[in-house]
Amino acid sequence: MFRDDTNIGKVLRYSHTGELLQTIINDTTGRKLFCGPFYITENNNGDIVVSDHVARAVVGTSRGGRHRFSYKGPPSGRGILPFGI
């Protein structure tokens, strides 16, 4: 996860009819999840995976917006540049 007070990223979930279902900005503890969402995908379970090119990470959340995982690359590296998933 990336924590920077100057950049705020959010993910909006819509229904098939265009109704706003959910806005995901923070996890359940109040920490920001995204800084610069670039590519967003959702699986059949409703889990959302976001490539965040500003934070140099891939972030996964559950359907309810709970943080599941963050991947920033190998421990010895400077991170990744995820421009897709």
Side-chain angles (χ1 to χ4, degrees):
M1 289 187 310
F2 185 74
R3 298 181 69 190
D4 181 5
D5 294 336
T6 60
N7 293 324
I8 297 174
K10 62 182 172 180
V11 173
L12 305 174
R13 290 183 68 226
Y14 290 93
S15 68
H16 293 290
T17 60
E19 178 185 352
L20 179 64
L21 296 176
Q22 182 181 30
T23 301
I24 302 173
I25 300 172
N26 300 324
D27 65 3
T28 54
T29 63
R31 293 184 299 180
K32 288 190 294 185
L33 287 171
F34 317 109
C35 187
F38 185 76
Y39 188 84
I40 302 167
T41 188
E42 180 178 7
N43 68 6
N44 293 337
N45 299 335
D47 296 342
I48 297 171
V49 178
V50 177
S51 66
D52 193 332
H53 68 279
V54 175
R56 297 181 144 221
V58 174
V59 180
T61 64
S62 67
R63 174 179 223 135
R66 184 178 56 93
H67 178 260
R68 283 211 167 175
F69 69 88
S70 295
Y71 179 71
K72 296 188 102 180
S76 61
R78 289 185 31 196
I80 57 176
L81 288 174
F83 288 105
I85 297 175

